[in-house]
Amino acid sequence: QVQLVESGGGLVQPGGSLRLSCAASGFSLDYYAIGWYRQAPGKEREGISCISSSDGSTYYADSVKGRFTISRDTAKNTVYLQMNSLKPEDTALYYCATQYESHSYGSWCTGFGDYGAEYWGKGTLVTVSS
């Protein structure tokens, strides 16, 4: 049974930091990429970061590049999103999602913002406000 559980959201002031966690069960990060997405009220879902299963290569949307860092701990089957220099426009519900990757092809992460994913977590809320 595949499950993804996000945690670490909360209220933070502009310029502050949070670290989100995505705990995976029922599959191995050696074969599944993990993407982070967010959706703010009244806006489209946005793919913000992804980490591939083959070599741990990372990908970022321009809106978060230089501020957010994605990483994985394969022993714990967990992916993290370190968020620094947070802005009010970062306020959103943050989701992690996973997709099986065939290592015979390029990484799903190269198009993660446009593709669907097989499994989704329920999300964790991040609010950036003074």
Side-chain angles (χ1 to χ4, degrees), residues 18-129:
L18 286 173
R19 188 178 75 160
L20 306 183
S21 298
C22 175
S25 61
F27 64 95
S28 172
L29 298 181
D30 290 335
Y31 302 102
Y32 284 80
I34 298 290
W36 281 99
Y37 300 79
R38 66 186 182 186
Q39 188 163 25
K43 294 187 177 181
E44 294 285 327
R45 185 184 66 199
E46 178 188 17
I48 57 172
S49 191
C50 193
I51 187 164
S52 67
S53 61
S54 59
D55 60 359
S57 297
T58 57
Y59 302 80
Y60 300 94
D62 288 341
S63 58
V64 306
K65 193 174 299 181
R67 299 188 297 122
F68 292 9
T69 303
I70 192 171
S71 61
R72 67 178 181 178
D73 186 334
T74 55
K76 296 180 179 179
N77 229 40
T78 299
V79 171
Y80 305 96
L81 185 69
Q82 179 66 46
M83 307 187 296
N84 298 326
S85 302
L86 285 163
K87 306 173 182 179
E89 51 263 44
D90 294 319
T91 296
L93 189 64
Y94 284 71
Y95 302 88
C96 62
T98 191
Q99 174 69 44
Y100 174 80
E101 288 192 306
S102 171
H103 295 176
S104 298
Y105 302 94
S107 176
W108 172 78
C109 286
T110 60
F112 79 100
D114 299 322
Y115 303 156
E118 292 185 83
Y119 302 99
W120 295 79
K122 296 185 181 297
T124 185
L125 182 63
V126 173
T127 303
V128 185
S129 177

Side-chain angles (χ1 to χ4, degrees), residues 1-24:
Q1 183 178 4
V2 172
Q3 288 188 330
L4 297 168
V5 180
E6 303 95 336
S7 62
L11 175 64
V12 64
Q13 293 185 350
S17 298
L18 286 173
R19 188 178 75 160
L20 306 183
S21 298
C22 175

